[in-house]
Amino acid sequence: MRTTVAFVISLILFIVVFITVLGVEEDERCVPGGGSTSADGGVPDGAYSLPEKNAGDHITSGWRTPDRPTHAGLDIAQGAGTPIYAYADGVVAKAGPASGFGQWVVIDHQIDGKLYSTVYGHVFPEGIHVKAGDTVKAGQHIADEGYNGEVYPPGPGGSHLHFEVWEGGRDSGHDVDPKPWLDKAVEPGSAGGSGDSKGSGGVVLIGDSLSVGADEQIKKAIPGVEIDAKVGRQFAEGVKILQGKRTTAKTVIMALGTNGPFSQADVDAAVKAAGDAKVVLTTVAGPKVTSAGAVNRLVAANASKVSVADWAARVGQHPDYVGADGIHLSDAGRSAFAQMLAESVGSKPGKGAASSSVRKGPGTTSGGGEVPDSEVIQSKDHLQIDTIRLARAVALRFPQIKTIGGWRPSDPYPDHPSGRAADIMIPNWDTDEGKQLGDDILAYLWGNREYFQVEYFIWRQKYIPAQGEGNVMEDRGSPTQNHYDHIHVTTIGHGYPAPGQKYGPAPEGGSEVPGGPEGAAGDGCDAIAGVDVGLAAGEIPEEYVKWIQLAGRLCAQAPAPLIAGLIYQESKFSTTAVSSAGATGPAQFMPGTWAVAGAKVDDNGEVAGPAGSGSPNAIPDAVMAAGRYLCSTAKQVKEWKSAGKISGDDTELMLAAYNAGGGNVLNYGGVPPFAETQKYVKVIPEHATRFAQKAK
């Protein structure tokens, strides 16, 4: 992490977590344990639900036992990714960071006229499926089992659900033994819905990333549906899953084909495995779905023996149903896709699902058609597609706006020169009316952030990523530099427009308010992966060993020896190291980078303060920040590499981004041709080999 301005630039690129995958047919979501994102566990009305299926058979530690007298709950261990269900109807009181638990969910219930709370601990941020204020039902899938926080052994081997029951509420009551409460609960899925692994419900859906993205809409359109969807799934894998289910469902939907063509033998195997159930096949569509031709011909050839949900026909009428990546669903597309599948349940072989009754949703305009150009948009010839689409929509929806800038020929950050940024100038920004206008525009864009392919916003000194937590930025000295007089929006871009480029409609709705920026010292997608490689501790200063080991558990791509090698290369384990450019501390953080990526940590290495807190010269804060930063760069490298934007060794690319900045890695398509960086990516793995010797 040297002197380049690009290093500071990279903090934006790596804190942002993209919502959609860019032009990749086989992608992955960061969900510990992988597998389906749907885990319906409905229970009969008035019943209580076990927090995990078969929970009683997997209790590994009880409540306040002699060996653990302060243990306020019980532990249920079935492996990372196991679905966790709400015990009873209630309201989510907390969903997020918690001391010792990493992340937790707390639900308040009214039971027999009294307040009770149930607690679900050790989950990961990406494993939480509810937010504070949500109303939930007993048996609702609220989270996934994890190994976040203080677990033993550290890593996947320590994965478990810590479950508590509090009489009088979590904040003002007292904990009680959860076991009697479990004894009067029923199995999730016992309501006869999709929680039955044998598929006893009416409809079974086996799908890929399109079904993953439309999970919520599909459940609303087809009540009780069992969804088994996974990103990157191909048809042959779906057939094996169906064969293993031995389903007694009335309808089986095979929503597959986006990730590659399949054969007549695959279709025949699916029909056979479905038994007496009706089989629905979907066509596929999208300008970057290369399998569309072969898949759609095969589906059409089987229309006499299966029902066809003709997604290609719907997309032909509504191109805006496909997102900007050319594959996945837009906001409007998710609703339309779900409605199509619902209609297919009642269709008969020989007939495709009707395409005339698609419900209007976000991503459409009241009049449909193309969003018009506007004179308020400046430097249009230099803007990329996503930025133009967003600027046109804002100009149409908010006629009060008179100027939308964004492009300039040079800047320390790449967003403006690349044409990916829009600056929406707010008239009378220093009045209540101006602030409200800015808030309304931000709410509109936030609610449609996926449609517009937004990476992040800045408004009134707050950095707000499209996904994850933001932060309050440092004071830059003026209303413009602090973004009080304009909203800055950076999009993914997707290149410069071709002649005759279409931008689609301006979406409606979008009144959501982004979550408060409570610190961007967040985690990479693979956070707390439990990697625990031995160190040659004798060669590392004693005061560093614990923190390097903790940082090495954050993700598989950055194990402890590699972090030790990086710290050694950057500072020779010095807390007072300062570069000529002003980078400081053991990991050599620039002040601007620390303000966003740094944070104070507690004794367990967990973030314990807002972004920019702590000190880059403090060993715990600096080493853990370096680990978090490496993990976030590893995540970004993986996405860029999958999209074909860069190539090379994953570890070298991650280290290059740390040293030279992610912008340079992206611009050069791999490790930049800088002498320092070329040496850096080779020497740190050499140091890691040295530090990886097991302590004796």
Side-chain angles (χ1 to χ4, degrees):
M1 195 175 295
R2 285 292 189 241
T3 61
T4 64
V5 172
F7 176 77
V8 182
I9 295 171
S10 69
L11 68 94
I12 294 296
L13 293 173
F14 295 132
I15 289 174
V16 173
V17 178
F18 292 145
I19 290 179
T20 56
V21 180
L22 312 182
V24 182
E25 293 191 14
E26 292 189 22
D27 53 1
E28 297 179 0
R29 291 281 180 95
C30 284
V31 179
S36 170
T37 63
S38 175
D40 192 349
V43 298
D45 289 344
Y48 301 133
S49 171
L50 290 172
E52 287 187 4
K53 292 184 178 181
N54 303 310
D57 296 332
H58 298 277
I59 297 175
T60 58
S61 182
W63 174 75
R64 296 193 178 278
T65 55
D67 60 325
R68 302 184 70 187
T70 62
H71 193 228
L74 53 79
D75 296 339
I76 303 167
Q78 299 195 68
T82 300
I84 298 171
Y85 304 92
Y87 179 83
D89 296 352
V91 176
V92 178
K94 305 175 191 293
S99 177
F101 288 134
Q103 301 266 329
W104 69 358
V105 174
V106 179
I107 303 176
D108 288 342
H109 317 275
Q110 288 294 328
I111 299 175
D112 296 330
K114 293 183 179 181
L115 172 65
Y116 288 84
S117 296
T118 51
V119 176
Y120 312 79
H122 297 306
V123 296
F124 290 99
E126 61 269 23
I128 295 178
H129 308 308
V130 293
K131 63 182 183 299
D134 283 356
T135 299
V136 298
K137 300 290 290 182
Q140 181 174 329
H141 182 198
I142 58 170
D144 299 317
E145 182 181 314
Y147 43 93
N148 203 354
E150 299 174 10
V151 300
Y152 183 84
S159 177
H160 68 274
L161 163 65
H162 176 89
F163 178 72
E164 298 177 355
V165 177
W166 286 68
E167 184 175 350
R170 176 60 178 79
D171 292 333
S172 57
H174 61 91
D175 59 279
V176 298
D177 187 356
K179 186 60 169 62
W181 293 80
L182 295 191
D183 292 341
K184 55 187 177 182
V186 300
E187 283 290 334
S190 58
S194 59
D196 187 340
S197 62
K198 293 183 180 180
S200 60
V203 181
V204 169
L205 166 63
I206 300 175
D208 54 24
S209 57
L210 270 64
S211 298
V212 171
D215 180 270
E216 180 180 350
Q217 291 84 350
I218 294 170
K219 288 179 180 178
K220 291 180 180 178
I222 312 175
V225 63
E226 176 189 345
I227 303 177
D228 191 328
K230 179 182 177 182
V231 173
R233 176 173 288 160
Q234 297 196 8
F235 198 96
E237 180 186 351
V239 172
K240 291 180 180 179
I241 292 170
L242 181 60
Q243 290 169 335
K245 285 182 179 293
R246 298 180 182 178
T247 181
T248 57
K250 296 179 180 179
T251 303
V252 173
I253 302 174
M254 303 290 284
L256 299 162
T258 301
N259 298 302
F262 46 94
S263 67
Q264 182 62 49
D266 291 325
V267 175
D268 293 340
V271 172
K272 181 179 179 180
D276 295 332
K278 178 183 72 175
V279 174
V280 177
L281 300 184
T282 63
T283 58
V284 295
K288 291 190 178 180
V289 179
T290 58
S291 59
V295 167
N296 295 347
R297 285 191 296 270
L298 181 60
V299 170
N302 284 275
S304 62
K305 57 184 176 182
V306 302
S307 294
V308 177
D310 197 350
W311 183 237
R314 300 206 179 200
V315 171
Q317 295 179 4
H318 300 276
D320 60 293
Y321 287 169
V322 177
D325 68 352
I327 298 174
H328 296 92
L329 304 174
S330 66
D331 285 344
R334 280 190 283 275
S335 295
F337 187 75
Q339 181 66 15
M340 176 193 71
L341 296 182
E343 292 168 4
S344 75
V345 174
S347 66
K348 297 180 180 180
K351 296 182 180 181
S355 59
S356 60
S357 59
V358 178
R359 295 177 295 183
K360 183 178 289 186
T364 63
T365 61
S366 56
E370 179 80 1
V371 63
D373 195 4
S374 172
E375 293 302 318
V376 307
I377 305 171
Q378 301 179 344
S379 304
K380 304 173 189 178
D381 294 342
H382 299 284
L383 301 180
Q384 294 196 33
I385 294 171
D386 293 337
T387 311
I388 295 174
R389 178 185 295 112
L390 180 145
R392 286 187 175 192
V394 170
L396 176 66
R397 295 292 183 191
F398 298 92
Q400 307 97 311
I401 298 301
K402 303 303 179 185
T403 303
I404 301 177
W407 180 82
R408 45 182 175 263
S410 62
D411 194 82
Y413 299 90
D415 304 42
H416 290 290
S418 68
R420 295 191 301 116
D423 285 337
I424 304 164
M425 306 306 297
I426 306 299
N428 303 314
W429 60 268
D430 55 350
T431 65
D432 290 342
E433 181 182 7
K435 180 181 182 300
Q436 185 61 56
L437 174 61
D439 289 344
D440 290 344
I441 294 172
L442 178 61
Y444 169 72
L445 295 177
W446 174 264
N448 293 288
R449 59 195 181 280
E450 184 171 353
Y451 179 81
F452 288 123
Q453 298 288 278
V454 173
E455 285 191 1
Y456 71 92
F457 307 88
I458 306 176
W459 169 233
R460 297 181 67 83
Q461 209 172 329
K462 295 177 181 178
Y463 165 75
I464 307 167
Q467 182 170 319
E469 295 181 344
N471 68 281
V472 177
M473 300 173 64
E474 73 278 6
D475 186 354
R476 297 182 178 180
S478 74
T480 298
Q481 290 178 315
N482 286 331
H483 300 82
Y484 274 80
D485 61 2
H486 70 283
I487 301 172
H488 172 102
V489 190
T490 289
T491 68
I492 293 174
H494 287 104
Y496 297 97
Q501 179 74 47
K502 299 293 185 182
Y503 298 96
E508 296 175 338
S511 60
E512 298 180 50
V513 179
E518 297 174 351
D523 305 312
C525 189
D526 299 323
I528 320 297
V531 179
D532 197 1
V533 180
L535 289 172
E539 298 192 50
I540 300 172
E542 182 179 356
E543 60 270 25
Y544 280 87
V545 173
K546 169 186 174 179
W547 305 106
I548 291 173
Q549 288 174 331
L550 286 173
R553 296 171 186 161
L554 292 174
C555 68
Q557 297 88 339
L562 189 75
I563 292 175
L566 182 144
I567 300 297
Y568 177 80
Q569 180 66 24
E570 291 286 4
S571 66
K572 299 295 190 295
F573 299 113
S574 170
T575 60
T576 59
V578 180
S579 75
S580 58
T584 62
Q588 291 290 278
F589 276 98
M590 294 291 290
T593 308
W594 185 264
V596 177
K600 181 178 179 58
V601 299
D602 62 19
D603 288 342
N604 299 308
E606 299 286 341
V607 172
S613 61
S615 169
N617 299 101
I619 294 172
D621 299 343
V623 174
M624 296 307 298
R628 293 193 306 271
Y629 200 93
L630 281 173
C631 290
S632 64
T633 63
K635 169 70 165 59
Q636 185 65 85
V637 161
K638 180 179 180 180
E639 292 181 355
W640 281 341
K641 197 171 182 181
S642 296
K645 296 178 179 291
I646 61 174
S647 61
D649 178 79
D650 289 350
T651 298
E652 291 188 1
L653 291 168
M654 175 182 68
L655 292 171
Y658 193 99
N659 174 259
N664 277 318
V665 172
L666 184 60
N667 290 338
Y668 285 98
V671 177
F674 309 147
E676 177 186 306
T677 305
Q678 292 280 330
K679 177 181 178 182
Y680 190 88
V681 302
K682 298 294 185 183
V683 72
I684 289 179
E686 293 175 3
H687 294 327
T689 299
R690 163 187 166 192
F691 291 125
Q693 297 170 359
K694 298 287 185 180
K696 297 181 180 180

